[in-house]
Amino acid sequence: MTSFLHQAKFSSKSIYIELIQTMNILISGGGTGGHIFPALSIADEIKKRHPEARILFVGALGRMEMQRVPDHGYPIEGLPVCGLDRKRPWRNIKVMWLLWKSMRRARAIVDSFRPDIAIGVGGYASGPTLKAAQRRGVPTLLQEQNSYAGVTNKLLAAKAKAICVAYDGMERFFPAGRIIKTGNPVRADITDASVSRQEAKRQLGFDPGKPLVAVTGGSLGARTLNRAMSKALRPLLDQGASVLWQCGRYYAKEYQPMGEGIPDAQVTDFVKRMDLVYRAADLIVSRAGAGTISELQIAGVPAILVPSPNVAEDHQRHNAEALSTRGAAIMVLDADAEKELLPAITDLLHNREKRETLSREIKKMARPGAAGEIATIADKIIMHQQ
């Protein structure tokens, strides 16, 4: 961390509050829930501390943040930016054109909004936005969710005032003196959940006396997980387990009928109450996105992680390895899932001691106050600029 973040003192609390309340906060990033939910958590913490602060989001047009952020109550501007097409490089001519347009639009947003700090959480939009802010002399704060840093944050790191991370060893990506290990912000309904496991099972419609296996591939679904579960569902039910299987909206028509008429199985396209799922599940099978892992850490749920191979820099595998090498989760590679997932689930279902060990170790990695820590760092950066 830069020295002023260690040493910053607020000489007058009333002056500090007055200055911060009138600040303009720019937050950029998105593309997936793993970027959006941390960004919203940071915004909520800033707003809770400083109700008069103005917060503006910048996202990528056509991506999920353009709906999720306004639904949460914050304004958002969109950039026409998109990622490089590695499989069809000839299409990148258009990508570069859109990047140029996005840089122009980002500069206009920065000039109009005049932020006192710009916070980037990763994703397509954060690159042009924070680069424009840095060129205008606006201090920037980066939040890197993954154990393997994304390209955007690596490019922005040299001029960032602080880089908030969730894993050790991030010095290989960022300047060591600016790294602060805060963990990833997690939604309040996850951190504040207090219902018992039995009651959570009842609320979800399951028998509280049976072990519950929850499987989630995200809101869109994960093809490999769905294929593996199509083979594993009946054997798991025969072993006396209940199964909650989120197949995703892309795969709902194909897989939802498998759960019809079976009291101990729910096959659904989307789960609204993930807070209840984390409380109810004896075991969770999921992808290894940074946001999901942070939620699993807070909840302390035994987990089998099946990292998606279709992500930049294979970062989900790095995320999963950061846990599996510490005995905090089981990792099953995507290529092996159809063969190995059922045996892995069965092994944990019949080994309570192993589940308890996984639960204990994953909970050790939890950082429940991440959003508050990041908001405090942002406060100190702003005050240092005054």
Side-chain angles (χ1 to χ4, degrees), residues 270-287:
F270 183 72
V271 177
K272 293 182 179 180
R273 294 293 305 274
M274 279 304 297
D275 57 317
L276 287 179
V277 174
Y278 287 128
R279 293 296 297 170
D282 296 89
L283 168 63
I284 285 184
V285 179
S286 79
R287 289 304 202 187

Side-chain angles (χ1 to χ4, degrees), residues 224-244:
T224 302
L225 287 183
N226 287 335
R227 286 180 174 177
M229 283 305 301
S230 68
K231 300 174 183 177
L233 180 61
R234 178 48 59 184
L236 291 175
L237 295 173
D238 290 343
Q239 294 177 48
S242 300
V243 176
L244 173 60

Side-chain angles (χ1 to χ4, degrees), residues 46-60:
I46 292 172
K47 201 68 174 176
K48 182 171 68 175
R49 298 177 179 203
H50 315 298
E52 300 306 316
R54 297 172 64 224
I55 298 176
L56 175 65
F57 280 75
V58 180

Side-chain angles (χ1 to χ4, degrees), residues 30-301:
T32 67
H35 293 310
I36 297 167
F37 292 130
L40 289 172
S41 296
I42 294 168
D44 287 346
E45 182 65 29
I46 292 172
K47 201 68 174 176
K48 182 171 68 175
R49 298 177 179 203
H50 315 298
E52 300 306 316
R54 297 172 64 224
I55 298 176
L56 175 65
F57 280 75
V58 180
L61 291 171
R63 306 293 287 188
M64 62 190 297
E65 60 265 26
M66 299 306 296
Q67 177 179 345
R68 294 287 179 88
V69 170
D71 286 349
H72 202 76
Y74 294 106
I76 187 169
E77 296 281 352
L79 304 180
V81 66
C82 61
L84 291 172
D85 193 328
R86 292 176 172 84
K87 295 182 178 179
R88 294 164 293 190
W90 61 88
R91 294 194 174 187
N92 289 326
I93 295 174
K94 181 179 180 180
V95 172
M96 298 309 294
W97 165 247
L98 293 175
L99 178 60
W100 180 80
K101 291 181 66 177
S102 296
M103 285 299 304
R104 288 189 62 189
R105 178 64 185 142
R107 286 195 294 268
I109 292 170
V110 170
D111 289 343
S112 174
F113 187 63
R114 300 180 66 185
D116 294 279
I117 190 171
I119 300 172
V121 298
Y124 300 141
S126 64
T129 305
L130 267 73
K131 179 60 70 175
Q134 290 176 343
R135 287 177 174 174
R136 292 294 192 265
V138 177
T140 56
L141 181 156
L142 305 180
Q143 201 265 320
E144 175 57 59
Q145 297 96 28
N146 295 293
S147 62
Y148 194 92
V151 172
T152 300
N153 279 346
K154 285 190 284 188
L155 292 173
L156 294 167
K159 294 184 177 180
K161 293 293 185 181
I163 306 159
C164 300
V165 303
Y167 294 91
D168 295 322
M170 299 302 286
E171 295 83 2
R172 65 192 194 276
F173 305 113
F174 303 126
R178 299 176 195 173
I179 295 173
I180 311 103
K181 186 179 179 183
T182 59
N184 288 326
V186 173
R187 291 173 287 179
D189 61 344
I190 306 296
T191 58
D192 298 342
S194 59
V195 64
S196 70
R197 176 167 293 169
Q198 289 73 21
E199 181 57 29
K201 287 179 181 179
R202 289 191 187 95
Q203 291 189 34
L204 290 171
F206 291 103
D207 184 340
K210 293 185 176 183
L212 174 62
V213 178
V215 183
T216 173
S219 59
L220 301 181
R223 180 173 60 183
T224 302
L225 287 183
N226 287 335
R227 286 180 174 177
M229 283 305 301
S230 68
K231 300 174 183 177
L233 180 61
R234 178 48 59 184
L236 291 175
L237 295 173
D238 290 343
Q239 294 177 48
S242 300
V243 176
L244 173 60
W245 170 11
Q246 182 191 26
C247 62
R249 61 184 176 90
Y250 282 175
Y251 301 94
K253 290 184 179 179
E254 182 177 359
Y255 293 107
Q256 274 188 310
M258 294 186 67
E260 292 178 357
I262 304 176
D264 293 324
Q266 293 181 23
V267 184
T268 181
D269 61 337
F270 183 72
V271 177
K272 293 182 179 180
R273 294 293 305 274
M274 279 304 297
D275 57 317
L276 287 179
V277 174
Y278 287 128
R279 293 296 297 170
D282 296 89
L283 168 63
I284 285 184
V285 179
S286 79
R287 289 304 202 187
T292 297
I293 286 179
S294 295
E295 291 173 353
L296 290 168
Q297 290 168 342
I298 295 292
V301 186

